[in-house]
Amino acid sequence: MATPLGWSQGGSGSVCLAFDQLRDVIESQEELIHQLRNVMVLQDENFVSKEEFHEIEKKLVEEKAAHAKTKALLAKEEEKLQFALGEVEVLSKQLEKEKMAFEKALSSVKSRVLQESSKKDQLITKCNEIESHIIKQEDILNGKENEIKELQQVISQQKQNFRNHISDFRIQKQQETYMAQVLDQKRKKATGMRRARSRQCSREK
């Protein structure tokens, strides 16, 4: 912000100090004027000389002029002070408005951070639940795979046993067929021998 004309960089504090100093000067000048008037009254009563009267009157005029000049300077300083106070008030309002806007923005950011943090926590919880469910499913699948492997082993063993039974049955069947053939041959042979004996006996009779 640019410094107002006639206003030092000291700010409103310097203006107030100058205002107080000018006020002290005016009070001193008014006291001196009052004293000079008293002296003039006393001199009038004591029949002072014309030269002394003119001298005192001249000083009084000079003091009045100085007093008027000081009053004018004081008025300017008061104007500067009021201007400075007005600017301070404007800046204070602007600062308060910016502070409120900042606090509102900060509150909004905090609220959004809390929401995002809550969402993140919910996602983490959900991911943990899904991961736990997947682990349980994997355990179940592993158990099923182990059961399937055991069943496959049982089936494989049963197949092997079945093959062995079939092989034993075939061997037994072959043996039974062979025994049947041998017995059939023996039976036929025995039947033939009986017939031959029967014929021989018939001839002998």
Side-chain angles (χ1 to χ4, degrees):
M1 182 179 65
T3 304
L5 184 63
W7 189 27
S8 66
Q9 292 290 340
S12 60
S14 299
V15 174
C16 290
L17 179 62
F19 178 76
D20 292 338
Q21 291 176 349
L22 288 171
R23 186 173 56 192
D24 293 339
V25 170
I26 289 171
E27 290 177 355
S28 299
Q29 289 175 344
E30 288 178 346
E31 180 64 25
L32 180 59
I33 291 170
H34 181 68
Q35 291 177 359
L36 288 172
R37 282 178 176 170
N38 290 334
V39 170
M40 288 177 66
V41 171
L42 290 174
Q43 286 179 348
D44 286 339
E45 291 176 353
N46 295 325
F47 303 102
V48 295
S49 63
K50 188 176 182 179
E51 289 79 9
E52 289 177 347
F53 173 78
H54 286 308
E55 185 67 26
I56 293 172
E57 187 179 28
K58 182 180 179 182
K59 287 183 180 180
L60 180 60
V61 171
E62 290 175 355
E63 290 297 331
K64 283 183 177 181
H67 180 64
K69 186 176 180 181
T70 304
K71 272 191 173 182
L73 182 59
L74 177 61
K76 289 182 180 179
E77 294 300 329
E78 283 181 345
E79 185 179 354
K80 291 178 183 178
L81 177 60
Q82 292 300 323
F83 178 76
L85 291 174
E87 286 196 338
V88 169
E89 185 177 0
V90 171
L91 290 174
S92 296
K93 289 181 179 179
Q94 184 178 356
L95 180 62
E96 186 67 23
K97 185 184 291 185
E98 291 177 355
K99 182 181 178 182
M100 291 176 64
F102 173 77
E103 289 178 351
K104 184 177 180 180
L106 181 62
S107 177
S108 177
V109 170
K110 284 183 178 179
S111 177
R112 192 161 47 186
V113 168
L114 288 175
Q115 290 178 357
E116 293 298 329
S117 178
S118 177
K119 287 182 182 178
K120 183 193 73 175
D121 293 339
Q122 290 176 0
L123 287 174
I124 290 174
T125 301
K126 191 171 182 179
C127 287
N128 290 335
E129 291 176 355
I130 293 173
E131 186 177 0
S132 177
H133 180 72
I134 289 173
I135 291 173
K136 289 180 180 179
Q137 291 295 325
E138 287 180 348
D139 291 339
I140 293 173
L141 289 174
N142 289 332
K144 296 292 183 182
E145 286 180 356
N146 292 332
E147 289 179 4
I148 290 171
K149 287 180 180 178
E150 291 176 357
L151 289 173
Q152 286 176 344
Q153 290 178 356
V154 171
I155 292 171
S156 178
Q157 186 65 38
Q158 288 178 348
K159 284 182 178 179
Q160 185 63 39
N161 293 336
F162 182 71
R163 290 192 190 99
N164 293 335
H165 286 316
I166 290 176
S167 179
D168 292 340
F169 177 76
R170 285 176 180 173
I171 292 172
Q172 184 179 359
K173 191 69 176 175
Q174 288 176 356
Q175 289 176 349
E176 288 178 355
T177 302
Y178 177 74
M179 291 298 294
Q181 289 176 354
V182 171
L183 289 174
D184 185 60
Q185 288 177 358
K186 285 183 178 182
R187 183 177 58 78
K188 286 180 179 180
K189 188 176 181 180
T191 302
M193 289 179 66
R194 282 197 301 270
R195 285 178 181 176
R197 286 177 184 174
S198 177
R199 288 188 193 119
Q200 187 177 1
C201 287
S202 296
R203 288 174 185 175
E204 288 178 353
K205 290 180 178 182

